[in-house]
Amino acid sequence: MKKLKIAVQKSGRLHDDSMAILKEVGISIDNGKEQLKAAAKNFPLEIFYLRNGDIPQYLKDGVVDVAIIGENVLIEKGEDIAIVEKLGFSSCKVSVAIPKSAKYNSAKDLEGKRIATSYPNTVNTFLAKNNIKAHLHIINGSVEIAPNIGLADAIVDIVSSGSTLFKNGLKEAEVILKSEAVLAVSPMISAEAKSILDKLHFRLKSVLRGRQSKYVLLNAPNNKIETIVSILPGMNSPTILPLAREGWSSLHSVINKNDFWEVIDELKQNGAEGILVCPIENMVL
């Protein structure tokens, strides 16, 4: 039976988040600690554990069909590879960082400077866009040490919390791009593998919708229902059920978690009571 071959990062935060979402979509993986390849027990899927920087080439060559990978890595090494879905985790930035004592007003301050980076293509695109000429030092790993040893005036690297920059006497000067984990597909994927990918993608979208939503149940007087319905449109419209208490109804709906507190405040102001909010595991449309 044909299996969909998917690459994930061998170790690190992206690995952990990738395995977590595969578990959420109901895929059980028999995985030994030192294995470089593992098969799912209940879905036609085979996982390859690879170095993050190598994954774009595996996609281009068709060695794997799809991958969960950082968008920043695709921009650097595989800009021609299609993204099927943005996954909303493992967020980071690719940023310019300079010594804390240095001044930075705009990208023009990089003119003629030495920049250390592991992302030469990304940096060159940024420099060309801003019509800047600078000297690149390509370093794999520990980029943040370059200004301290006199190798560079600035660096361009991944920034998550900023703690590594702080420890090395650097500060973030400008964000070049923002990145998150994405599901990327090989240009050489077969029709059979694409059919399996469609099933996986359907499950992923259901989980992602659930993560972005909250299920809300509330009680409201009937004369306030029209106003509350305008606040809670839900997917199509809220569910409205009569209560044993005369003149009152129960409303059920879904809200975006990013709008959660604003919506709750507005509901209370318009007569809603007994508001119950529940997480959503999956939301299938």
Side-chain angles (χ1 to χ4, degrees):
M1 181 182 179
K2 175 69 177 179
K3 291 184 178 182
L4 182 72
K5 292 180 282 189
I6 184 171
V8 301
Q9 188 179 47
K10 187 177 179 182
S11 60
R13 185 165 64 100
L14 181 54
H15 167 88
D16 296 340
D17 290 342
S18 300
M19 300 309 292
I21 198 167
L22 289 175
K23 185 177 180 180
E24 279 190 67
V25 300
I27 296 175
S28 177
I29 298 153
D30 186 9
N31 177 32
K33 251 191 171 181
E34 301 302 320
Q35 284 181 287
L36 297 179
K37 189 170 72 169
K41 297 177 182 178
N42 57 349
F43 192 82
L45 187 78
E46 193 170 35
I47 299 182
F48 290 69
Y49 302 103
L50 304 172
R51 286 181 66 252
N52 210 33
D54 294 338
I55 291 175
Q57 194 60 51
Y58 280 82
L59 286 167
K60 289 177 183 178
D61 293 342
V63 176
V64 295
D65 301 308
V66 292
I68 297 176
I69 186 172
E71 189 177 5
N72 59 296
V73 180
L74 279 190
I75 290 170
E76 177 64 26
K77 295 186 174 183
E79 67 279 356
D80 55 335
I81 295 171
I83 293 173
V84 176
E85 189 73 44
K86 292 192 174 187
L87 301 174
F89 57 78
S90 296
S91 298
C92 67
K93 299 171 286 184
V94 177
S95 299
V96 177
I98 58 174
K100 289 178 182 177
S101 59
K103 293 182 179 179
Y104 189 94
N105 297 312
S106 71
K108 294 295 182 184
D109 291 335
L110 297 173
E111 182 69 41
K113 294 293 196 296
R114 299 166 300 161
I115 303 173
T117 187
S118 300
Y119 296 89
N121 293 330
T122 302
V123 176
N124 280 325
T125 299
F126 171 73
L127 294 175
K129 181 181 176 182
N130 289 278
N131 197 26
I132 295 166
K133 291 184 179 179
H135 309 285
L136 294 195
H137 291 283
I138 301 171
I139 300 175
N140 292 316
S142 301
V143 174
E144 57 277 347
I145 199 174
N148 291 329
I149 61 175
L151 182 63
D153 304 299
I155 69 167
V156 173
D157 201 17
I158 287 179
V159 176
S160 295
S161 66
S163 61
T164 302
L165 295 181
F166 181 80
K167 290 174 185 176
N168 286 276
L170 302 175
K171 63 183 179 182
E172 187 178 38
E174 182 165 354
V175 177
I176 290 180
L177 63 88
K178 293 182 179 180
S179 171
E180 63 184 88
V182 298
L183 182 67
V185 61
S186 168
M188 299 178 67
I189 189 170
S190 67
E192 195 174 358
K194 176 66 168 56
S195 177
I196 301 170
L197 171 59
D198 290 342
K199 294 177 183 177
L200 174 62
H201 189 202
F202 172 79
R203 294 189 186 191
L204 285 169
K205 287 193 292 184
S206 298
V207 168
L208 293 173
R209 279 193 294 263
R211 286 183 177 184
Q212 292 299 315
S213 306
K214 297 283 188 181
Y215 189 70
V216 178
L217 301 88
L218 60 90
N219 297 333
N222 289 342
N223 63 356
K224 293 285 188 178
I225 286 178
E226 187 174 344
T227 301
I228 288 176
V229 166
S230 69
I231 301 168
L232 283 177
M235 291 171 285
N236 290 312
S237 64
T239 300
I240 303 173
L241 301 171
L243 293 177
R245 182 181 176 184
E246 189 175 347
W248 283 70
S249 295
S250 173
L251 282 77
H252 300 211
S253 190
V254 174
I255 61 174
N256 188 296
K257 73 171 188 178
N258 296 323
D259 303 326
F260 171 71
W261 287 112
E262 291 81 0
V263 171
I264 295 300
D265 288 341
E266 197 172 352
L267 289 172
K268 289 182 65 179
Q269 290 168 12
N270 285 279
E273 296 181 4
I275 302 171
L276 178 64
V277 181
C278 305
I280 297 174
E281 187 171 321
N282 295 301
M283 192 161 76
V284 181
L285 298 181

